Amino acid sequence: AQKITQTQPGMFVQEKEAVTLDCTYDTSDQSYGLFWYKQPSSGEMIFLIYQGSYDEQNATEGRYSLNFQKARKSANLVISASQLGDSAMYFCAMREGNAGNNRKLIWGLGTSLAVNP
Amino acid sequence: GAVVSQHPSWVICKSGTSVKIECRSLDFQATTMFWYRQFPKQSLMLMATSNEGSKATYEQGVEKDKFLINHASLTLSTLTVTSAHPEDSSFYICSAPEGALAGASDTQYFGPGTRLTVL
Protein backbone atom coordinates (compact mmCIF):
# COMPACT_ATOMS: atom_id res chain seq x y z
CA ALA A 1 0.00 0.00 0.00
CA GLN A 2 1.18 3.50 -0.73
CA LYS A 3 2.57 5.18 2.32
CA ILE A 4 2.31 8.69 0.93
CA THR A 5 -0.76 9.56 -1.05
CA GLN A 6 -1.21 12.73 -3.04
CA THR A 7 -4.64 12.49 -4.63
CA GLN A 8 -4.45 15.59 -6.82
CA PRO A 9 -2.39 15.00 -9.97
CA GLY A 10 -3.03 18.58 -11.08
CA MET A 11 -4.32 21.76 -9.50
CA PHE A 12 -5.10 25.24 -10.76
CA VAL A 13 -5.20 28.39 -8.69
CA GLN A 14 -5.70 32.04 -9.49
CA GLU A 15 -2.83 34.36 -8.72
CA LYS A 16 -3.03 35.86 -5.21
CA GLU A 17 -5.41 33.19 -3.98
CA ALA A 18 -4.59 30.44 -1.48
CA VAL A 19 -4.34 26.78 -2.44
CA THR A 20 -4.20 23.55 -0.46
CA LEU A 21 -2.28 20.53 -1.71
CA ASP A 22 -3.34 17.28 -0.07
CA CYS A 23 -1.08 14.64 1.43
CA THR A 24 -2.03 11.65 3.52
CA TYR A 25 0.42 9.19 4.99
CA ASP A 26 0.50 5.77 6.56
CA THR A 27 2.93 4.66 9.22
CA SER A 28 2.95 2.65 12.41
CA ASP A 29 5.90 4.58 13.81
CA GLN A 30 5.27 7.11 16.56
CA SER A 31 8.23 9.19 15.46
CA TYR A 32 8.35 10.40 11.89
CA GLY A 33 8.89 13.51 9.84
CA LEU A 34 6.93 15.00 6.98
CA PHE A 35 8.38 17.17 4.25
CA TRP A 36 7.19 19.16 1.29
CA TYR A 37 9.39 19.88 -1.70
CA LYS A 38 8.85 22.02 -4.79
CA GLN A 39 10.23 21.01 -8.17
CA PRO A 40 10.03 23.68 -10.89
CA SER A 41 10.54 22.80 -14.54
CA SER A 42 14.31 23.25 -14.10
CA GLY A 43 14.33 20.04 -12.07
CA GLU A 44 15.86 21.17 -8.82
CA MET A 45 14.16 19.96 -5.65
CA ILE A 46 13.55 22.80 -3.24
CA PHE A 47 12.81 22.09 0.41
CA LEU A 48 9.77 24.03 1.60
CA ILE A 49 8.66 22.92 5.02
CA TYR A 50 9.02 20.24 7.68
CA GLN A 51 6.68 18.86 10.35
CA GLY A 52 7.81 16.48 13.04
CA SER A 53 5.33 13.98 14.42
CA TYR A 54 5.74 15.37 17.94
CA ASP A 55 5.42 19.00 16.91
CA GLU A 56 2.26 20.34 18.46
CA GLN A 57 2.02 23.41 16.30
CA ASN A 58 1.59 23.46 12.56
CA ALA A 59 4.78 24.40 10.75
CA THR A 60 4.93 27.68 8.86
CA GLU A 61 7.56 29.11 6.53
CA GLY A 62 6.62 32.42 4.97
CA ARG A 63 3.70 31.80 2.60
CA TYR A 64 3.83 28.07 3.24
CA SER A 65 2.07 26.37 6.11
CA LEU A 66 1.48 22.74 6.86
CA ASN A 67 -1.95 21.70 8.10
CA PHE A 68 -0.97 18.73 10.25
CA GLN A 69 -3.84 16.54 11.40
CA LYS A 70 -2.21 13.63 13.14
CA ALA A 71 -5.34 11.61 13.87
CA ARG A 72 -6.33 11.77 10.22
CA LYS A 73 -2.72 11.19 9.10
CA SER A 74 -2.80 14.16 6.82
CA ALA A 75 -0.18 16.83 6.17
CA ASN A 76 -1.61 19.24 3.67
CA LEU A 77 0.45 22.11 2.28
CA VAL A 78 -1.20 25.50 2.18
CA ILE A 79 0.27 28.17 -0.07
CA SER A 80 -1.12 31.61 0.60
CA ALA A 81 -1.20 34.49 -1.90
CA SER A 82 -0.13 32.34 -4.85
CA GLN A 83 2.41 33.77 -7.26
CA LEU A 84 3.16 32.83 -10.84
CA GLY A 85 6.50 31.45 -9.68
CA ASP A 86 4.67 28.89 -7.55
CA SER A 87 3.79 26.93 -10.68
CA ALA A 88 5.68 23.65 -10.21
CA MET A 89 5.41 20.04 -9.07
CA TYR A 90 4.99 19.60 -5.33
CA PHE A 91 6.03 16.44 -3.54
CA CYS A 92 5.11 15.26 -0.07
CA ALA A 93 7.60 12.92 1.62
CA MET A 94 7.93 11.08 4.91
CA ARG A 95 10.83 9.87 6.99
CA GLU A 96 9.85 7.01 9.29
CA GLY A 97 11.59 6.83 12.62
CA ASN A 98 13.96 9.23 14.27
CA ALA A 99 16.33 11.49 12.39
CA GLY A 100 19.67 9.80 11.93
CA ASN A 101 18.39 6.25 12.26
CA ASN A 102 16.52 5.79 9.04
CA ARG A 103 17.14 8.70 6.78
CA LYS A 104 15.41 7.45 3.65
CA LEU A 105 12.37 9.34 2.47
CA ILE A 106 9.18 7.84 1.11
CA TRP A 107 7.75 9.97 -1.68
CA GLY A 108 4.31 10.74 -2.97
CA LEU A 109 3.58 10.91 -6.70
CA GLY A 110 3.36 14.67 -6.67
CA THR A 111 0.85 17.37 -7.55
CA SER A 112 1.33 19.70 -10.48
CA LEU A 113 0.27 23.24 -9.57
CA ALA A 114 -0.46 25.86 -12.19
CA VAL A 115 -0.97 29.46 -11.11
CA ASN A 116 -3.10 31.47 -13.51
CA PRO A 117 -2.56 35.23 -13.94
CA GLY B 1 19.62 26.12 3.93
CA ALA B 2 22.42 23.72 3.19
CA VAL B 3 23.85 23.69 -0.33
CA VAL B 4 24.47 20.62 -2.47
CA SER B 5 26.10 20.88 -5.87
CA GLN B 6 25.99 18.35 -8.67
CA HIS B 7 28.12 18.14 -11.77
CA PRO B 8 27.62 17.95 -14.67
CA SER B 9 24.15 19.44 -15.05
CA TRP B 10 23.68 17.67 -18.33
CA VAL B 11 25.60 15.14 -20.37
CA ILE B 12 25.17 13.48 -23.75
CA CYS B 13 27.18 10.35 -24.41
CA LYS B 14 27.40 7.47 -26.84
CA SER B 15 26.08 4.06 -25.99
CA GLY B 16 28.70 1.93 -24.26
CA THR B 17 30.57 4.74 -22.57
CA SER B 18 30.70 5.45 -18.85
CA VAL B 19 29.53 8.65 -17.23
CA LYS B 20 30.52 9.95 -13.80
CA ILE B 21 28.27 12.31 -11.85
CA GLU B 22 29.56 14.15 -8.77
CA CYS B 23 27.53 15.26 -5.77
CA ARG B 24 29.08 17.60 -3.23
CA SER B 25 27.83 19.04 0.03
CA LEU B 26 29.31 22.54 0.05
CA ASP B 27 28.74 23.83 3.56
CA PHE B 28 28.18 20.74 5.65
CA GLN B 29 29.50 17.23 6.01
CA ALA B 30 27.42 14.32 4.81
CA THR B 31 28.15 10.79 5.96
CA THR B 32 25.16 9.71 3.92
CA MET B 33 24.00 10.79 0.51
CA PHE B 34 21.18 9.50 -1.63
CA TRP B 35 20.99 8.95 -5.36
CA TYR B 36 17.67 9.15 -7.13
CA ARG B 37 16.45 8.66 -10.65
CA GLN B 38 13.44 10.47 -12.03
CA PHE B 39 11.55 9.85 -15.24
CA PRO B 40 9.51 12.67 -16.82
CA LYS B 41 6.40 13.58 -14.87
CA GLN B 42 7.09 10.91 -12.27
CA SER B 43 8.17 10.89 -8.67
CA LEU B 44 11.67 10.29 -7.38
CA MET B 45 12.92 6.71 -7.33
CA LEU B 46 15.62 5.99 -4.78
CA MET B 47 18.48 4.08 -6.36
CA ALA B 48 20.96 3.79 -3.53
CA THR B 49 22.23 5.14 -0.25
CA SER B 50 25.83 6.26 -0.37
CA ASN B 51 27.77 5.81 2.86
CA GLU B 52 31.08 7.53 3.52
CA GLY B 53 33.83 4.99 3.98
CA SER B 54 31.72 1.94 3.25
CA LYS B 55 29.77 0.26 0.49
CA ALA B 56 26.63 1.78 -0.87
CA THR B 57 23.27 0.20 -0.15
CA TYR B 58 21.28 -0.38 -3.32
CA GLU B 59 17.53 -0.57 -3.62
CA GLN B 60 15.92 -3.68 -4.95
CA GLY B 61 16.18 -3.94 -8.72
CA VAL B 62 19.08 -1.52 -9.09
CA GLU B 63 22.16 -3.08 -10.68
CA LYS B 64 25.12 -2.31 -8.45
CA ASP B 65 27.60 -3.22 -11.17
CA LYS B 66 26.01 -0.78 -13.55
CA PHE B 67 25.57 2.12 -11.15
CA LEU B 68 28.81 2.38 -9.22
CA ILE B 69 28.77 4.61 -6.17
CA ASN B 70 31.80 5.88 -4.33
CA HIS B 71 31.56 8.07 -1.22
CA ALA B 72 35.20 9.02 -0.89
CA SER B 73 34.91 11.86 1.59
CA LEU B 74 32.42 13.57 3.88
CA THR B 75 31.54 16.03 1.13
CA LEU B 76 31.69 14.01 -2.09
CA SER B 77 29.80 11.09 -3.56
CA THR B 78 30.03 9.97 -7.16
CA LEU B 79 27.70 7.90 -9.30
CA THR B 80 29.19 6.23 -12.37
CA VAL B 81 26.84 4.85 -14.97
CA THR B 82 28.91 2.14 -16.63
CA SER B 83 28.41 1.04 -20.23
CA ALA B 84 25.50 3.40 -20.60
CA HIS B 85 22.63 2.52 -22.92
CA PRO B 86 19.70 4.60 -24.16
CA GLU B 87 17.44 3.15 -21.47
CA ASP B 88 19.73 4.74 -18.87
CA SER B 89 18.74 8.18 -20.14
CA SER B 90 17.09 9.93 -17.25
CA PHE B 91 17.33 12.70 -14.69
CA TYR B 92 19.66 11.75 -11.85
CA ILE B 93 19.57 13.75 -8.65
CA CYS B 94 21.44 13.44 -5.38
CA SER B 95 20.59 14.57 -1.88
CA ALA B 96 22.29 14.85 1.47
CA PRO B 97 20.68 15.02 4.91
CA GLU B 98 21.79 18.05 6.88
CA GLY B 99 22.62 16.23 10.05
CA ALA B 100 21.31 14.04 12.81
CA LEU B 101 21.18 16.27 15.84
CA ALA B 102 18.54 15.24 18.34
CA GLY B 103 15.31 16.94 17.42
CA ALA B 104 16.61 18.14 14.07
CA SER B 105 14.56 17.57 10.97
CA ASP B 106 17.49 15.92 9.17
CA THR B 107 16.19 17.58 6.05
CA GLN B 108 17.53 16.29 2.76
CA TYR B 109 18.94 18.98 0.51
CA PHE B 110 19.19 18.26 -3.17
CA GLY B 111 21.65 18.93 -5.90
CA PRO B 112 20.34 20.54 -9.09
CA GLY B 113 20.30 17.22 -10.92
CA THR B 114 21.98 15.78 -14.02
CA ARG B 115 20.15 15.11 -17.26
CA LEU B 116 21.76 12.13 -18.95
CA THR B 117 21.07 11.37 -22.60
CA VAL B 118 22.59 8.25 -24.08
CA LEU B 119 22.60 8.11 -27.88
Side-chain angles (χ1 to χ4, degrees):
Chain A
Q2 268 188 301
K3 292 208 169 187
I4 293 286
T5 303
Q6 295 181 252
T7 58
Q8 308 151 313
M11 289 280 287
F12 293 92
V13 65
Q14 207 64 28
E15 193 178 9
K16 300 181 184 177
E17 292 185 351
V19 62
T20 297
L21 306 184
D22 295 342
C23 174
T24 58
Y25 60 93
D26 184 27
T27 181
S28 56
D29 282 359
Q30 296 300 309
S31 178
Y32 52 89
L34 297 156
F35 302 81
W36 277 93
Y37 286 85
K38 171 185 178 182
Q39 187 177 39
S41 57
S42 59
E44 59 185 315
M45 292 287 287
I46 303 167
F47 165 67
L48 296 178
I49 197 166
Y50 166 79
Q51 180 84 41
S53 59
Y54 295 117
D55 295 341
E56 295 186 349
Q57 301 220 344
N58 287 341
T60 60
E61 289 287 349
R63 294 187 299 112
Y64 304 107
S65 60
L66 200 152
N67 184 1
F68 182 45
Q69 299 191 33
K70 196 169 183 177
R72 296 180 58 188
K73 294 189 174 179
S74 74
N76 298 340
L77 177 70
V78 180
I79 305 174
S80 63
S82 296
Q83 301 173 356
L84 296 179
D86 294 334
S87 295
M89 282 290 290
Y90 288 81
F91 291 97
C92 179
M94 175 175 68
R95 182 203 67 240
E96 290 182 301
N98 293 323
N101 291 338
N102 177 14
R103 309 173 94 177
K104 291 199 291 187
L105 293 180
I106 302 165
W107 294 86
L109 296 181
T111 295
S112 176
L113 176 67
V115 180
N116 297 324
Chain B
V3 180
V4 176
S5 71
Q6 194 171 333
H7 178 81
S9 55
W10 59 269
V11 58
I12 301 172
C13 69
K14 292 183 178 179
S15 187
T17 60
S18 294
V19 175
K20 180 185 282 189
I21 303 170
E22 292 187 349
C23 179
R24 293 181 186 271
S25 56
L26 297 186
D27 52 359
F28 66 103
Q29 294 183 330
T31 57
T32 300
M33 291 184 177
F34 297 97
W35 286 97
Y36 294 89
R37 184 173 181 175
Q38 187 180 32
F39 293 104
K41 300 190 184 302
Q42 293 190 20
S43 188
L44 298 179
M45 183 184 76
L46 179 65
M47 298 175 65
T49 303
S50 174
N51 305 298
E52 189 269 335
S54 65
K55 292 182 179 179
T57 305
Y58 290 83
E59 296 299 302
Q60 192 172 11
V62 177
E63 299 176 62
K64 59 182 68 176
D65 293 332
K66 179 164 190 63
F67 299 100
L68 300 178
I69 291 172
N70 183 23
H71 198 142
S73 74
L74 287 172
T75 59
L76 173 63
S77 175
T78 59
L79 168 68
T80 301
V81 183
T82 63
S83 187
H85 291 283
E87 57 265 30
D88 299 323
S89 298
S90 191
F91 185 64
Y92 293 88
I93 191 165
C94 69
S95 72
E98 62 171 342
L101 298 174
S105 67
D106 207 26
T107 298
Q108 285 190 26
Y109 289 91
F110 284 79
T114 297
R115 296 193 185 277
L116 171 64
T117 302
V118 185
L119 302 177

